[in-house]
Amino acid sequence: MKLPKQVEIIEVGPRDGLQNEMVFIPTDKKMSLINALNKTGIKRMEATSFVHPVYVPQMKDASEVFQGIVKDPKIQYMALIPNEKGFDRAIEQGVQAVSLVVGASNSFNLKNVKMTRAESIKKFENVVVKAKEQKIFVRYNIATAFWCPFEGAVDESLVVEMAKTINRLGADEIVLCDTIGRANPNQVYSLFSSIMELQPEAMITAHFHDTYGMGQANVLAALQAGVRQFDASIGGLGGCPFAPGAAGNVATEDVVFMMNELGIETGIDLEALRLSLDLVKQMSNRGLMSHYYSVLEHSCV
Ligand code: COA
Ligand code: ZN
């Protein structure tokens, strides 16, 4: 297998991981998790989201979290925003990197942000211009890039066209998300190969959920297609409140473990992830979807 020397793993646990937890996690616990993740070698993370507190109550303390965490100057802390209001709220708090989200599937986008896909794309044009003027890093997520919980399989050419538009707009990073964890490695290889062939100026990142246990296989397929950046969530937490049936993201520690085994550098210390793992274990009502953690728990090593 042709493998790169290194990849980057972007931690999305404090946002994607926690947003789907039903019981409100106290703000200081969210901050402790981010502060623990700071010490693991992670260089970029989604810390929170500036979304409507009624629709996603778990994220109602976004400002407090963002203000309260220890900010390591070597780490980029991103915040997800669903619209212009979210952008303004984030900027007020001093956020330097925003994570925009649009669903490739129109039905999903309507459920998620109450706008058609076209409306979201149009409104985000302004946001990207404003962000660029203020030298804010723009990460642009295409949610449901492979499958939609309401419409089924998503057309690859539609996602490629969206990626071209987003690249022309000047986004710094484009993230293709398998929001419901339904993609298979063939589909992943095909879409990412098409995107990489465009040679976009934006960085390309893969974001997988592990609903059917194909998360790591999809990471490997994307790696083969030339992707070098992967989102992952500590403890395998995650899921979108507006995408029924979605399980958590691929677990950070599982992806790090696989990369270590393949001799690929991530810069993340597996041992150092243990404290963060213990913290998410205490926070979540659900069991962790993490192979590495279950090995630790059952003392198999
Ligand atoms: N944060 C907080 N309040 C917001 C907001 C934001 N990002 N965007 C809009 N609002 C407020 C408006 O100011 C307005 O307030 P008012 O009634 O006091 O005037 C009210 O919400 C309605 O505004 P509107 O633009 O019509 O919003 P909406 O009700 O159509 O909701 C979203 C749109 C995008 C805010 C909402 O669907 C949302 O937060 N979705 C988040 C989805 C998510 O987090 N998914 C998981 C991650 S992908
Ligand atoms: Zn996700």
Side-chain angles (χ1 to χ4, degrees):
M1 241 188 318
K2 270 198 180 162
L3 296 170
K5 282 199 170 59
Q6 64 181 55
V7 295
E8 185 188 20
I9 295 176
I10 298 135
E11 175 60 46
V12 295
R15 195 279 301 171
D16 202 342
L18 300 187
Q19 74 184 9
N20 212 26
E21 289 296 312
M22 293 305 144
V23 178
F24 184 73
I25 297 162
T27 308
D28 60 334
K29 290 208 166 142
K30 290 176 181 141
M31 294 186 322
S32 307
L33 174 61
I34 294 172
N35 293 343
L37 288 165
N38 278 346
K39 299 191 178 115
T40 60
I42 283 163
K43 288 287 177 295
R44 301 171 65 210
M45 69 172 109
E46 282 194 358
T48 189
S49 62
F50 289 88
V51 295
H52 198 300
V54 168
Y55 300 123
V56 190
Q58 189 62 257
M59 293 287 128
K60 68 181 178 194
D61 55 359
S63 300
E64 291 82 353
V65 169
F66 198 80
Q67 286 306 322
I69 53 175
V70 175
K71 297 200 189 65
D72 182 327
K74 294 192 293 300
I75 300 177
Q76 183 186 50
Y77 300 91
M78 300 180 279
L80 182 129
I81 58 159
N83 59 6
E84 197 155 6
K85 167 95 181 177
F87 177 79
D88 294 340
R89 284 181 59 210
I91 298 310
E92 252 172 51
Q93 299 305 323
V95 169
Q96 291 292 311
V98 288
S99 189
L100 285 50
V101 59
V102 176
S105 146
N106 198 43
S107 309
F108 171 77
N109 205 61
L110 279 166
K111 287 259 193 304
N112 197 39
V113 293
K114 301 185 190 306
M115 286 182 272
T116 63
R117 180 181 57 225
E119 278 168 345
S120 272
I121 292 173
K122 187 80 203 142
K123 294 220 158 130
F124 274 150
E125 280 178 16
N126 266 346
V127 171
V128 176
V129 170
K130 269 165 76 173
K132 293 276 115 189
E133 281 167 5
Q134 298 175 55
K135 300 203 174 358
I136 303 290
F137 182 92
V138 177
R139 167 175 162 97
Y140 203 132
N141 297 276
I142 304 181
T144 58
F146 302 90
W147 282 82
C148 165
F150 314 107
E151 292 182 17
V154 171
D155 187 12
E156 180 177 305
S157 60
L158 168 79
V159 181
V160 171
E161 282 312 309
M162 281 178 79
K164 278 187 195 163
T165 307
I166 295 167
N167 187 50
R168 269 199 303 272
L169 208 56
D172 299 292
E173 179 181 15
I174 301 173
V175 189
L176 302 187
C177 310
D178 181 21
T179 308
I180 59 166
R182 177 67 180 83
N184 67 54
N186 242 339
Q187 211 185 354
V188 166
Y189 185 81
S190 173
L191 177 56
F192 276 106
S193 298
S194 303
I195 300 284
M196 300 314 271
E197 269 169 26
L198 300 174
Q199 298 193 309
E201 282 177 33
M203 307 185 288
I204 300 299
T205 300
H207 176 111
F208 297 119
H209 286 255
D210 200 27
T211 315
Y212 286 85
M214 288 202 281
Q216 287 275 56
N218 287 337
V219 168
L220 206 53
L223 197 65
Q224 293 299 298
V227 176
R228 300 294 176 256
Q229 302 194 158
F230 298 91
D231 282 2
S233 171
I234 187 78
L237 291 186
C240 173
F242 306 95
N249 292 83
V250 281
T252 307
E253 56 283 5
D254 288 345
V255 182
V256 172
F257 182 82
M258 180 169 81
M259 296 300 172
N260 285 353
E261 291 295 300
L262 296 175
I264 302 171
E265 183 60 44
T266 63
I268 298 173
D269 179 0
L270 205 45
E271 258 309 295
L273 286 173
R274 283 182 79 150
L275 173 60
S276 309
L277 274 169
D278 289 336
L279 291 175
V280 284
K281 172 76 177 167
Q282 290 157 26
M283 280 180 197
S284 175
N285 284 332
R286 301 176 285 170
L288 300 187
M289 276 184 64
S290 162
H291 294 280
Y292 186 73
Y293 194 74
S294 58
V295 171
L296 289 181
E297 263 195 325
H298 297 105
S299 305
C300 305
V301 285

